[in-house]
Amino acid sequence: MKKLLILGALLFSFIVSAQNKEVKISIDPLSENIYMLTGQGGNIGVFKNEKGLFIIDDQFARLSNQILSKLKTISDQPVSMVINTHYHGDHTGGNENMANKGATIFAQKNVRSRMKKNQKEKGAINPVSLPVITFNEGLQLYFNNENVKAFHVHNAHTDGDAIIYFVNGNVLHMGDTFFNGRYPYIDLKSGGSIKGYIKASEKALLIANDDTKIIPGHGKLATKKDLETFSRMLKEITAAIQKEIDAGKSEGNIIKNTTLTATYDTKGYGDGFINSERIRKTIYSSLTQ
Ligand SMILES: [Zn+2]
């Protein structure tokens, strides 16, 4: 109990300091006209085109001004389009500010319904922040020198995930269906599942080649090799947990069994937001749901 209290206090002070600290925004070129912007929250993809700036996700509302001034360093054009990879607040928090500056927001249809539901529960729906163009399975966007494809992947991180591929630039943005080098957060309460999550990584591996630059939702810019390692990690741990379930082991037993994740724990996969116990619990819950 004491240990838990100390852990809680540590976590609280970490959150407070993370909120108070000036967030550093950086932007790195991935091709002639595609960039990755990092700050706090989900990694942002940026595509400079003849219609303005097209961004993938927009982090938190409080960072919008900082993000917009960073974008000014690559273009005087306004943000004309935003695609949300899913509904979580660290990817959609800037929607309202972007929309107020004239951006059109796109997303898979479940993003819109989950955002609405969430806002309604907290008080009132804010229509300006919601995607105005939604799609079911996918979307193609054509620019002078680029063709952008958005694919919906089913029940992965949530039930509204989209992965975005820039065909000519060969850049793939995976939203939170990829946490590079870390155990992922899988939002089971919002329709996420381990099986769908693995399928999303397999789909992305079909799209990517050795030269593809992969933007994960969280973590550093990745290659196809990094994504293969991540996908293998998910499959191995899932198979190990399924084996325990089939052998009749209890939930408590599986959650405590560190050998199930040991190979990847030692590689630091549990050092992020989701530790090794939490990933065993998530996968167990998803497999037995
Ligand atoms: Zn997320």
Side-chain angles (χ1 to χ4, degrees):
M1 187 61 194
K2 197 174 165 200
K3 215 169 139 190
L4 240 155
L5 277 174
I6 295 168
L7 211 81
L10 267 171
L11 192 72
F12 181 72
S13 63
F14 174 77
I15 291 166
V16 169
S17 72
Q19 277 176 347
N20 292 342
K21 209 171 67 186
E22 174 80 7
V23 175
K24 190 179 168 287
I25 310 275
S26 28
I27 191 159
D28 299 298
L30 307 184
S31 77
E32 206 183 307
N33 49 18
I34 303 172
Y35 305 78
M36 171 167 151
L37 185 147
T38 48
Q40 197 178 57
N43 293 326
I44 294 177
V46 182
F47 168 47
K48 191 166 71 174
N49 61 79
E50 68 277 9
K51 296 181 180 78
L53 293 174
F54 164 11
I55 65 171
I56 302 170
D57 290 341
D58 50 29
Q59 300 189 348
F60 298 103
R62 63 187 148 80
L63 298 178
S64 296
N65 284 338
Q66 260 183 281
I67 290 168
L68 288 168
S69 55
K70 199 73 189 181
L71 291 174
K72 280 264 176 293
T73 64
I74 58 161
S75 170
D76 286 334
Q77 296 264 72
V79 174
S80 56
M81 289 168 60
V82 178
I83 285 196
N84 294 137
T85 58
H86 63 292
Y87 88 98
H88 287 152
D90 59 328
H91 298 255
T92 60
N95 277 9
E96 181 181 5
N97 295 332
M98 298 299 165
N100 280 334
K101 293 209 183 281
T104 304
I105 300 170
F106 295 68
Q108 205 278 337
K109 69 177 171 57
N110 294 334
V111 173
R112 184 180 159 93
S113 48
R114 290 227 175 253
M115 282 181 77
K116 267 176 90 172
K117 184 169 168 260
N118 236 22
Q119 291 175 0
K120 201 174 171 189
E121 278 164 12
K122 284 180 186 155
I125 292 168
N126 176 7
V128 185
S129 69
L130 301 173
V132 293
I133 296 177
T134 66
F135 54 91
N136 287 333
E137 293 300 322
L139 192 67
Q140 293 237 30
L141 301 156
Y142 300 93
F143 299 88
N144 286 350
N145 299 308
E146 187 57 273
N147 177 4
V148 185
K149 294 169 189 272
F151 303 90
H152 173 41
V153 286
H154 295 247
N155 302 94
H157 174 66
T158 65
D159 61 6
D161 302 303
I163 61 177
I164 321 293
Y165 184 55
F166 294 88
V167 177
N168 294 334
N170 197 9
V171 174
L172 181 65
H173 192 307
M174 289 189 57
D176 282 1
T177 66
F178 185 22
F179 283 58
N180 191 13
R182 294 282 184 266
Y183 292 135
Y185 170 49
I186 304 174
D187 189 348
L188 302 182
K189 289 198 178 90
S190 302
S193 73
I194 183 60
K195 286 187 177 159
Y197 206 104
I198 290 171
K199 275 193 193 142
S201 69
E202 286 172 339
K203 178 151 194 173
L205 285 169
L206 287 176
I207 298 167
N209 60 34
D210 291 343
D211 299 322
T212 308
K213 289 177 171 146
I214 306 178
I215 303 176
H218 298 272
K220 288 189 184 131
L221 183 73
T223 61
K224 186 176 185 182
K225 265 208 169 63
D226 297 323
L227 181 60
E228 276 167 352
T229 307
F230 179 78
S231 184
R232 196 178 321 120
M233 173 276 292
L234 292 172
K235 285 183 210 167
E236 284 179 14
I237 295 177
T238 302
I241 291 176
Q242 186 62 60
K243 213 171 145 194
E244 296 294 294
I245 295 169
D246 293 344
K249 297 283 168 58
S250 73
E251 177 177 8
N253 189 292
I254 291 169
I255 291 170
K256 284 198 191 80
N257 187 350
T258 54
T259 63
L260 299 169
T261 47
T263 315
Y264 294 96
D265 291 347
T266 55
K267 290 180 181 154
Y269 274 79
D271 297 349
F273 178 50
I274 303 295
N275 64 24
S276 75
E277 187 175 308
R278 188 128 179 240
I279 196 66
R280 291 191 296 275
K281 185 175 166 55
T282 301
I283 294 174
Y284 172 86
S285 304
S286 186
L287 290 173
T288 54
Q289 244 171 19

